[in-house]
């Protein structure tokens, strides 16, 4: 119902904008970035062929591989270990004010001439938090009891997620600041959209691969069925 309602709102508002909003003919820009789709893609290819841009794209496409499993799989594994989904959803509520405040605080450190320094400094801490998340998953069955999980376990989970958000936003704001700084003002929209798209893709494809690899890399033991490995879905079900 939530998704249906907002989907309808987005469709109605964007349709109204398309039909009712008129361009101001009096204020014609002195120089248009591109004249059409073909020109835009030609411009994109000319940008991406630049050696510095190509190197940067390769870096941001691979920089988040180390965090992919921790980011994509931790929540699912906690649910698998018995943590209720509704409790995990509630733990996201304290993160909202943190997510609002963090960009404001971090932007002070990324406004200088070298915004990527913040990105580099946050990376090792985010990698270490991946180990922390692995510990949380391992620890879950140890502290679980009939009534669920103790309060101190949830406190540690909230603290871990809060620290993770700090490192995540440090890297995110830094990369956005760098993209804004290096984009050519004459073609700023096209240039920055390209870099941001590559940056988003650099976070999405490792998470997809991590989720795909979860099942093959998960070790299962068959209780009371000697000689069976439970390696495949069929044998695990049996």
């Amino acid at each position: 119902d939530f998704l249906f309602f907002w989907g309808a709102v987005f469709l109605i508002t964007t349709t109204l904008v398309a039909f009712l909003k008129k361009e101001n003919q009096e204020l014609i820009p002195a120089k248009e970035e591109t004249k059409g789709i073909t020109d835009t893609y030609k411009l994109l290819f000319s940008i991406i062929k630049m050696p510095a841009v190509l190197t940067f794209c390769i870096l941001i496409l691979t920089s988040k591989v180390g965090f992919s499993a921790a980011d994509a799989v931790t929540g699912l594994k906690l649910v698998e270990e018995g943590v209720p989904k509704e409790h995990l959803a509630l733990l996201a509520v304290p993160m909202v004010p943190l997510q609002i405040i963090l960009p404001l605080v971090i932007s002070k450190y990324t406004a200088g001439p070298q915004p990527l320094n913040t990105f580099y400094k946050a990376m090792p801490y985010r990698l270490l938090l991946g180990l922390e998340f692995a510990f949380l998953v391992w620890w879950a069955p140890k502290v679980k009891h009939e009534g669920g999980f103790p309060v101190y376990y949830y406190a540690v989970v909230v603290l871990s997620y809060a620290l993770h958000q700090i490192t995540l936003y440090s890297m995110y704001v830094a990369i956005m600041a760098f993209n804004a700084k290096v984009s050519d003002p004459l073609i700023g929209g096209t240039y920055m959209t390209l870099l941001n798209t590559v940056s988003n893709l650099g976070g999405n494809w490792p998470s997809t691969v991590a989720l795909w690899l979860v099942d093959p890399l998960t070790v299962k033991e068959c209780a009371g069925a000697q000689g069976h490995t439970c390696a495949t879905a069929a044998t695990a079900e049996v």
Side-chain angles (χ1 to χ4, degrees), residues 101-141:
I101 295 165
L102 278 173
L104 298 172
V105 175
I106 296 164
S107 61
K108 295 178 182 177
Y109 300 97
T110 58
Q114 296 178 314
L116 280 185
N117 282 350
T118 307
F119 183 92
Y120 299 141
K121 288 174 183 175
M123 185 176 280
Y125 295 104
R126 193 169 171 188
L127 287 168
L128 287 171
L129 282 167
L131 296 176
E132 163 72 4
F133 283 171
F135 168 75
L136 288 176
V137 174
W138 172 84
W139 193 30

Side-chain angles (χ1 to χ4, degrees), residues 60-179:
I60 57 176
L61 278 172
T62 55
S63 63
K64 296 177 184 175
V65 171
F67 327 122
S68 56
D71 289 0
V73 185
T74 301
L76 299 173
K77 283 294 178 183
L78 287 175
V79 171
E80 193 178 288
E81 294 295 347
V83 179
K85 283 183 282 188
E86 57 271 23
H87 289 183
L88 276 180
L90 280 173
L91 294 180
V93 175
M95 298 299 114
V96 174
L98 190 65
Q99 290 167 352
I100 296 169
I101 295 165
L102 278 173
L104 298 172
V105 175
I106 296 164
S107 61
K108 295 178 182 177
Y109 300 97
T110 58
Q114 296 178 314
L116 280 185
N117 282 350
T118 307
F119 183 92
Y120 299 141
K121 288 174 183 175
M123 185 176 280
Y125 295 104
R126 193 169 171 188
L127 287 168
L128 287 171
L129 282 167
L131 296 176
E132 163 72 4
F133 283 171
F135 168 75
L136 288 176
V137 174
W138 172 84
W139 193 30
K142 312 288 183 187
V143 296
K144 187 180 179 183
H145 50 73
E146 291 182 3
F149 290 85
V151 175
Y152 66 81
Y153 181 76
Y154 287 118
V156 174
V157 172
V158 169
L159 180 62
S160 300
Y161 270 100
L163 292 171
H164 177 259
Q165 289 294 314
I166 293 170
T167 58
L168 186 152
Y169 273 86
S170 295
M171 295 180 69
Y172 174 74
V173 174
I175 207 80
M176 292 290 283
F178 180 80
N179 291 348

